[in-house]
Amino acid sequence: MTILNKKNQENIANLSNEQLKELDKAERKKISKDHKWAIEILNQILYDDPWCVYALEELADNLLSLDEIDKALQAAEFVLTLTTKSYWAYYLAWFIYSKKWNYKKSIELLKKANELRPNNPEVLRCYWWSLFMSGQRWKWIVLLERAKNLHPKDTQVLNDLAACMIDIWNVQKWLDLLDEIQEIDPENQRAVHALDFLKKNLNKIK
């Protein structure tokens, strides 16, 4: 095993050496964007062991990359019938339900993911998005501030928090966040576009 994703190490621990080799091949194919070949390898693993959680997680991930949304959701939800500890299955299912505009369900899934990986900045950021889209705006800024405290140089978190600031029309805070982003990544496109918007609409640049 050389490059197997470590997102669910506990699901790898009990696998045979042969399974690990095949999963490594599938991971390589996924990274090279050869998702169909990765799926063939994973299906062979699942033919021999239909309850291989890691292979099912990877199958869902590859199906999602091919935009096979319903099949990916079936695979992720099947994982969750086998174990309640698959952070990756909860995360994938969240993404699919959010694409289907079912934010109530996606919030439930992210809560489960957060229980498994408490205070994970990416989960908090995604949780913010589902709350935002479901209209529960009173919670978003708190979640993103937590994510920012955990990863102060994560430009995705900073950009999302900046979007919150402009939504509540806290222009100064928005400008401060844009400054932080540009210090970290001067070419960050979201920050550049936000400043262009500011130039055109507010005529006020810090």
Side-chain angles (χ1 to χ4, degrees):
M1 182 178 68
T2 57
I3 60 172
L4 273 180
N5 196 306
K6 301 300 189 294
K7 59 182 173 283
N8 265 327
Q9 189 68 43
E10 65 273 15
N11 291 331
I12 301 175
N14 296 321
L15 298 178
S16 68
N17 288 334
E18 185 60 33
Q19 285 175 314
L20 291 173
K21 288 178 184 178
E22 292 303 301
L23 285 167
D24 190 59
K25 288 180 188 177
E27 184 79 1
R28 290 178 183 277
K29 294 301 178 184
K30 183 177 76 171
I31 290 171
S32 65
K33 300 188 185 301
D34 193 347
H35 299 290
K36 290 184 178 180
W37 195 345
I39 288 170
E40 286 185 19
I41 296 170
L42 293 165
N43 278 333
Q44 185 57 53
I45 295 169
L46 291 167
Y47 179 81
D48 296 327
D49 181 2
W51 298 278
C52 180
V53 168
Y54 195 95
L56 287 163
E57 291 173 336
E58 289 297 296
L59 178 63
D61 200 6
N62 280 282
L63 287 167
L64 189 57
S65 295
L66 293 175
D67 209 30
E68 296 278 358
I69 304 297
D70 292 332
K71 289 181 180 179
L73 182 59
Q74 286 177 356
E77 289 187 327
F78 182 55
V79 170
L80 296 176
T81 67
L82 300 176
T83 177
T84 59
K85 296 182 179 180
S86 175
Y87 158 81
W88 192 238
Y90 283 120
Y91 187 81
L92 285 176
W94 158 77
F95 181 78
I96 295 166
Y97 274 110
S98 66
K99 283 188 67 117
K100 290 174 174 284
W101 299 83
N102 187 341
Y103 294 105
K104 181 179 179 181
K105 182 67 174 179
S106 74
I107 288 169
E108 292 175 7
L109 293 161
L110 279 177
K111 283 181 179 178
K112 294 288 188 181
N114 189 52
E115 288 172 7
L116 293 170
R117 301 282 178 89
N119 294 322
N120 180 292
E122 181 63 14
V123 170
L124 292 174
R125 196 174 71 83
C126 296
Y127 193 13
W128 160 76
W129 177 248
S130 289
L131 289 169
F132 177 87
M133 295 301 290
S134 67
Q136 298 183 50
R137 299 188 171 194
W138 62 91
K139 292 183 179 179
W140 3 306
I141 294 176
V142 172
L143 285 168
L144 284 175
E145 290 284 6
R146 281 172 59 196
K148 181 178 182 292
N149 289 336
L150 290 162
H151 274 212
K153 295 188 181 298
D154 187 321
T155 55
Q156 286 186 302
V157 171
L158 293 172
N159 270 306
D160 288 344
L161 188 55
C164 286
M165 291 302 106
I166 200 58
D167 190 80
I168 63 173
W169 208 242
N170 187 337
V171 176
Q172 187 57 55
K173 181 68 173 177
W174 182 37
L175 288 167
D176 291 343
L177 287 162
L178 292 178
D179 281 347
E180 286 187 53
I181 294 164
Q182 293 207 305
E183 284 180 13
I184 297 165
D185 178 12
E187 304 300 320
N188 188 278
Q189 289 302 299
R190 283 184 68 184
V192 169
H193 292 156
L195 285 169
D196 286 344
F197 171 85
L198 189 61
K199 290 175 183 177
K200 292 174 182 176
N201 294 280
L202 298 179
N203 297 314
K204 178 183 176 184
I205 294 291
K206 186 177 177 183

